[in-house]
Amino acid sequence: MHQNPHPDPPATPIELMDQLARVAAAYYRHFASAAAGHGLTLMQGKTLSLLTRPRSMRALAGLLSCDASNVTGIVDRLEGRDLVRREPDPADRRVKSIALTDRGEQTVRLIRADLMSGLTALEQLSGQDRAALGVLLDRAFPETAAPPA
């Protein structure tokens, strides 16, 4: 294999930020298309995907970066389609938690399958490359890292 005697300089933080913006935009285009295939808006699909466990309206608003009043409308529409349900929070009965119904769980699985069918490049990465990408993303965005199991 021939080594390039003059390797390209590493990307600047601004260049990386621009690249991440392009990647995020492409991801959300795919996500919006996958959600639309199930009759959902981007925000409705995103809400469903965030319900890996029951969450309060306040927590959902924070994760979605929107006002709680917007979340109420989103949840109302999802509840009307039997994709989510409101249930009392075990820690505080005054608070309602939002949880996926069985139909909601199935819809999330279908959206993710549709999404992966459009983003096959991730599957083409080796296991080592996927692990390295995960580590780099967690280091660059520690607030989004999954908590330890």
Side-chain angles (χ1 to χ4, degrees):
M1 183 164 143
H2 182 266
Q3 290 286 105
N4 182 352
H6 305 288
D8 291 334
T12 67
I14 294 290
E15 291 168 335
L16 288 174
M17 189 173 59
D18 289 346
Q19 184 177 4
L20 282 168
R22 289 190 304 275
V23 168
Y27 171 81
Y28 278 112
R29 277 192 306 276
H30 286 289
F31 194 100
S33 177
H38 298 277
L40 300 169
T41 65
L42 171 64
M43 290 300 280
Q44 290 170 340
K46 210 171 147 184
T47 299
L48 290 179
S49 71
L50 291 170
L51 290 171
T52 54
R53 59 181 167 78
R55 297 186 188 273
S56 70
M57 297 285 254
R58 176 173 289 163
L60 278 174
L63 291 167
L64 293 167
S65 299
C66 69
D67 191 76
S69 63
N70 293 342
V71 175
T72 299
I74 293 167
V75 168
D76 286 347
R77 287 185 285 286
L78 293 172
E79 190 175 36
R81 293 186 53 188
D82 190 35
L83 298 172
V84 300
R85 68 179 174 279
R86 289 175 166 95
E87 52 189 35
D89 187 299
D92 184 346
R93 297 291 224 188
R94 296 169 297 176
V95 175
K96 295 289 186 192
S97 289
I98 310 306
L100 290 174
T101 62
D102 289 342
R103 185 173 177 191
E105 288 176 10
Q106 163 113 12
T107 301
V108 169
R109 281 193 299 276
L110 292 171
I111 289 171
R112 286 187 176 138
D114 292 348
L115 192 57
M116 287 308 299
S117 72
L119 298 172
T120 57
L122 290 175
E123 291 177 348
Q124 294 171 7
L125 294 174
S126 71
Q128 186 176 1
D129 284 347
R130 287 193 308 269
L133 179 59
V135 167
L136 290 172
L137 289 171
D138 285 348
R139 283 177 45 201
F141 301 96
E143 68 278 6
T144 65

